[in-house]
Amino acid sequence: MGHGHGHGHGTGLGGHHGAGRTARADRRYLAGALALLVVFMVAEVIIGIIANSIALISDAGHMLTDAASIVLALIAMGMAARPARGAYTFGYKRAEILSAAINGLTFVLLVVYFVYEGIRRLVEPPEVEGVLVFGTALAGIAVNAAAAWLIARADRSSLNVEGAFQHILNDMYAFIATAIAGAVVWLTGWGRADAIAALVVAALMAKAAYGLLRDAGRILFEAAPAGLDPLEIGAAITGHPEVTAVEDLHVWTVTSGFPALSAHVVVEPGGDCHRIRREVAALLHERFHIDHTTLQVDHVSSVSSASGEPGSACRITVA
């Protein structure tokens, strides 16, 4: 058995100087956004209590999850950058996916609370200081816009960073709804507008939670990456003129931007296993952008009419 190794990862995996610089820049962007959010969140909680506004308090709760999502993202980025060693042959790259899943779950918990509180306040609307709600929400829009701009400059192909970005973006939309509610309460005195804004925030959270949990779940359950059809990949490999079959084809994602594939490729008797393996690997790279491949290449077993024993086989594996 012969082995060849050919990693062509250009998607931010460990070991590349450019990837290291990108990761450091991403951490600076996330840390800057975190500082903005924490300062404003404390002020918003105080004002929300004074104004008796569930919309403001729900926004503050959302900002708390924003801050937590960034902290998780920073921790996960540090873990994912650690080199593979010992039993962890892929390192800790899945830490980023777990961080994204946790972010999605925090959305779900907040949705339950704010739906309950919003409905309760629709039934029994309290007195709300509309002018405080309106002014604070405008400031919140500005703070979240700045934080979203910082995170948008990071590598959003990482589901981990995208999770933090979605938190910030949804919070900005929530502040827009809260500002509208504050203006309505201030100008008309209709207190139920505050509760309706909280329900709008909950709907936005639910949408973001679904997207994050869906994408994280696909990776954790090792589904094929979005946009890659295993049937199409198998057909492309068998389209090679010297390949007769593909067996045990598996396509999955290790972490964001890191698709992987393994397969047993059967070739015609007498075929050059090394050359065919290189050509199949090149096909997977060029057509499907899969660089981490493990291909076992065998000849079709030639059965001797006299002995019934299989003939020689060539096994080449590359990872």
Side-chain angles (χ1 to χ4, degrees):
M1 183 183 293
H3 294 275
H5 297 275
H7 297 284
H9 308 310
T11 54
L13 304 182
H16 297 281
H17 296 297
R21 286 193 296 270
T22 299
R24 286 193 296 272
D26 288 354
R27 285 193 285 269
R28 286 198 299 271
Y29 294 138
L30 265 65
L34 178 63
L36 284 173
L37 295 178
V38 169
V39 170
F40 187 80
M41 179 183 65
V42 173
E44 189 181 17
V45 169
I46 296 171
I47 297 171
I49 293 172
I50 294 172
N52 195 25
S53 168
I54 183 59
L56 278 184
I57 294 173
S58 69
D59 284 334
H62 196 174
M63 290 192 81
L64 178 61
T65 66
D66 293 343
S69 73
I70 293 176
V71 171
L72 279 172
L74 289 168
I75 294 172
M77 288 171 70
M79 292 182 66
R82 294 171 62 182
R85 61 166 58 97
Y88 296 88
T89 56
F90 278 109
Y92 298 87
K93 298 187 185 303
R94 281 270 169 97
E96 295 187 339
I97 308 307
L98 291 173
S99 170
I102 292 170
N103 283 336
L105 289 173
T106 60
F107 271 138
V108 172
L109 295 175
L110 285 172
V111 166
V112 172
Y113 172 72
F114 291 131
V115 167
Y116 167 79
E117 191 65 19
I119 292 174
R120 188 181 72 81
R121 290 193 175 214
L122 276 176
V123 176
E124 298 179 6
E127 291 292 327
V128 177
E129 295 291 336
V131 65
L132 280 178
V133 174
F134 178 69
T136 306
L138 289 181
I141 292 170
V143 168
N144 276 268
W149 176 79
L150 283 171
I151 296 181
R153 298 184 66 186
D155 179 16
R156 285 179 54 200
S157 67
S158 164
L159 190 59
N160 180 43
V161 175
E162 179 65 14
F165 179 77
Q166 286 298 326
H167 265 274
I168 303 298
L169 193 63
N170 277 271
D171 204 24
M172 187 169 68
Y173 294 152
F175 271 114
I176 293 172
T178 301
I180 294 172
V184 170
V185 174
W186 178 25
L187 298 174
T188 70
W190 192 52
R192 286 185 173 87
D194 185 72
I196 291 173
L199 293 175
V200 170
V201 172
L204 292 170
M205 288 181 182
K207 180 177 181 295
Y210 170 76
L212 284 174
L213 292 174
R214 177 199 60 204
D215 293 343
R218 286 185 64 89
I219 294 176
L220 292 174
F221 285 96
E222 298 194 333
L228 292 181
D229 182 355
L231 292 177
E232 181 183 355
I233 294 172
I237 295 173
T238 54
H240 188 288
E242 296 178 75
V243 172
T244 62
V246 176
E247 302 167 351
D248 296 325
L249 174 63
H250 300 281
V251 189
W252 71 100
T253 303
V254 177
T255 190
S256 300
F258 189 175
L261 176 147
S262 67
H264 177 200
V265 180
V266 182
V267 303
E268 294 178 346
D272 184 339
C273 292
H274 291 281
R275 175 180 55 78
I276 294 171
R277 189 270 303 165
R278 289 194 298 269
E279 291 172 357
V280 171
L283 166 70
L284 294 170
H285 166 73
E286 293 166 7
R287 182 167 170 181
F288 301 102
H289 308 292
I290 302 175
D291 294 323
H292 190 93
T293 56
T294 302
L295 300 172
Q296 176 182 318
V297 184
D298 287 341
H299 287 138
V300 174
S301 294
S302 55
V303 180
S304 168
S305 59
S307 64
E309 294 296 323
S312 62
C314 173
R315 295 177 181 270
I316 306 295
T317 303
V318 60

